[in-house]
Amino acid sequence: MDQLKGKMYTMQFWLLCFSNLLFSASFNMMIPELPAYLTSLGGAEYKGYIIGLFTLMAGLSRPFSGKLTDTIGRVPVMVFGSVVCVVCSLLYPLISSVGAFLLLRFFHGFSTGFKPTGTSAYVADMVPYNRRAEAMGMVGLFSTIGLSLGPSIGGSIANAWGIMVMFQVSAVFALLSVVILIGMKETLHNRQSFRPALLKVSRQEIFEPLVMAPVVITFLTYFSYGALLTIIPDFSAHLGLQNKGLFFTFFTASSIGIRLLAGKASDKYGRVPLLKISATLMAISMLMIAWAGSPAALLAGALVYGVALGINSPAVTAWTIDLGLPEHRGRALGSMYIALEAGIGLGAFFSAQWYNNDPAHFARVFYIMAIVTILATIYLVFIYRNKYVRYMRKAIRAYASRH
């Protein structure tokens, strides 16, 4: 394909988008209900592990998904991630102990450790490079719709028919995602057949140094996302919101409204200017949530956070692809997603510790999140543009191109 003149909105592209929507809705519809479910099993003090264990496995699996994306192909990696969602969703109703629940959450993380890596590489292969962020914005738009619909669908099903039915519906959504992927054409040339030796990952294959800058930004900006996933269900209930997924619906809805515009702006004006704006808005949203004393104020913070995330996601993904080498695209994206999972996981774990099931600590958690997020702006303004850092990036790129 001519990567400058190629057509972007093909049938393959739309199929990928719809698969992403179903996948996102599948695993996200259970998020608002899992804290209460874990509490019913006797594990209230382990709420921070719901997201933490999930993202830990996702992060640990990224070097493998990155290598397999660059060797056996994009589609098999995406299919595996969705199949994991199907299996895990069917297993939740069968567990009856805290230990089994936490173990299942750990292995459920394989899903997001594989599917997004394959998806991003697939998109980068098939779209014109001068519309890369726009394409990432569109794919992210469908993912965001899934993320938005998921909590509301899950909450409604759980309230009407019980949480066990919700798990089954989650499995159906993931299965439909797999069905769509099976018929898609592979975009990786010179594919290899899978063999166990491919699961051996060297130190050089774990991390791509060329994408250090987007890795840093991803970690700092997604730290707050882990806190939101962990704390917001309790904070919503504390403020009187019966549907604990409503916050997520609001922030993903506002994210939908900005993604396409943000992607096009990133392609036109550059990744860094957009990321500065998003990090600053994200810090403001954390302060708004910290000061929220009513459902309306909390949802206003959700709207601002959604705008910030909608600007951030396509820009940082496209920036990662820009900086990485084409033959190591899966490794570059895997490195970025490791940072994403680390940020979400650590944000979830530490926010749970700081919150400690005490409503008096809600504000403290989000003040800290605001500080962490504004560090991303400081990095982009004062560190990334440093001449020595630019020199080192050029040297690393020259070395990587020779090896």
Side-chain angles (χ1 to χ4, degrees):
M1 169 185 284
D2 185 327
Q3 278 293 88
L4 181 60
K5 299 179 181 179
K7 184 179 178 181
M8 187 168 83
Y9 295 122
T10 62
M11 179 58 69
Q12 293 289 105
F13 184 86
W14 292 121
L15 287 173
L16 184 68
C17 288
F18 193 58
S19 173
N20 257 29
L21 186 155
L22 293 168
F23 174 76
S24 300
S26 170
F27 74 83
N28 211 53
M29 69 170 59
M30 61 181 68
I31 293 297
E33 303 300 325
L34 288 181
Y37 184 57
L38 181 58
T39 299
S40 71
L41 296 175
E45 66 271 28
Y46 298 108
K47 289 178 182 177
Y49 291 86
I50 292 173
I51 303 300
L53 289 173
F54 185 90
T55 54
L56 175 61
M57 174 54 83
L60 291 174
S61 66
R62 293 293 183 184
F64 301 96
S65 66
K67 183 174 182 178
L68 293 175
T69 295
D70 289 335
T71 52
I72 69 171
R74 319 319 194 183
V75 174
V77 169
M78 290 190 286
V79 168
F80 178 78
S82 294
V83 168
V84 169
C85 259
V86 176
V87 174
C88 289
S89 296
L90 293 175
L91 289 177
Y92 278 106
L94 305 180
I95 62 176
S96 58
S97 68
V98 173
F101 174 90
L102 296 177
L103 184 63
L104 184 57
R105 282 301 292 171
F106 182 65
F107 284 106
H108 200 167
F110 265 117
S111 60
T112 56
F114 273 72
K115 180 112 179 14
T117 305
T119 297
S120 297
Y122 194 98
V123 172
D125 291 343
M126 70 186 302
V127 304
Y129 67 78
N130 62 325
R131 298 178 69 186
R132 190 170 282 160
E134 180 187 347
M136 294 299 174
M138 180 62 78
V139 173
L141 171 65
F142 276 76
S143 296
T144 303
I145 292 173
L147 292 173
S148 176
L149 294 176
S152 295
I153 293 173
S156 299
I157 293 173
N159 290 334
W161 296 290
I163 195 168
M164 299 307 172
V165 175
M166 183 202 70
F167 288 135
Q168 294 166 357
V169 173
S170 173
V172 171
F173 274 52
L175 181 60
L176 292 174
S177 175
V178 175
V179 171
I180 292 173
L181 291 170
I182 289 175
M184 295 186 65
K185 298 178 181 178
E186 179 57 58
T187 59
L188 178 66
H189 302 297
N190 302 317
R191 291 177 58 197
Q192 302 178 33
S193 298
F194 175 78
R195 60 185 188 278
L198 292 176
L199 297 177
K200 183 179 180 181
V201 178
S202 65
R203 285 185 298 176
Q204 292 83 358
E205 293 171 321
I206 293 176
F207 180 76
E208 177 56 75
L210 292 173
V211 299
M212 175 61 76
V215 162
V216 171
I217 296 304
T218 299
F219 175 80
L220 292 174
T221 52
Y222 275 86
F223 200 86
S224 59
Y225 190 61
L228 292 176
L229 291 174
T230 305
I231 305 299
I232 286 299
D234 282 5
F235 197 13
S236 297
H238 176 72
L239 293 177
L241 278 174
Q242 290 187 343
N243 189 334
K244 291 174 284 188
L246 196 59
F247 177 95
F248 300 100
T249 299
F250 267 67
F251 95 65
T252 49
S254 66
S255 177
I256 289 171
I258 197 66
R259 277 182 181 270
L260 286 183
L261 291 176
K264 291 182 178 180
S266 175
D267 287 331
K268 183 176 182 179
Y269 300 109
R271 320 306 186 194
V272 173
L274 271 293
L275 290 170
K276 290 177 183 177
I277 294 171
S278 71
T280 303
L281 284 175
M282 200 171 288
I284 292 172
S285 72
M286 291 298 104
L287 293 176
M288 292 175 66
I289 294 170
W291 297 331
S294 67
L298 180 65
L299 296 178
L303 290 174
V304 176
Y305 181 81
V307 171
L309 193 64
I311 296 172
N312 175 283
S313 182
V316 78
T317 306
W319 196 23
T320 301
I321 297 168
D322 293 344
L323 295 179
L325 299 173
E327 62 268 29
H328 296 154
R329 189 161 282 163
R331 182 193 305 177
L333 289 164
S335 300
M336 185 205 73
Y337 282 119
I338 288 172
L340 183 147
E341 305 297 353
I344 295 175
L346 291 174
F349 177 78
F350 284 113
S351 64
Q353 303 303 308
W354 296 327
Y355 164 46
N356 197 29
N357 292 310
D358 185 348
H361 296 159
F362 283 132
R364 178 176 69 178
V365 171
F366 293 107
Y367 285 139
I368 297 173
M369 294 302 114
I371 294 171
V372 172
T373 304
I374 205 64
L375 289 176
T377 304
I378 294 172
Y379 175 86
L380 291 170
V381 173
F382 297 106
I383 300 176
Y384 178 70
R385 294 301 184 186
N386 181 276
K387 291 183 178 180
Y388 174 74
V389 174
R390 292 203 303 271
Y391 171 79
M392 290 301 297
R393 286 201 304 271
K394 290 180 180 179
I396 292 172
R397 188 173 187 83
Y399 174 84
S401 65
R402 294 194 302 270
H403 297 79

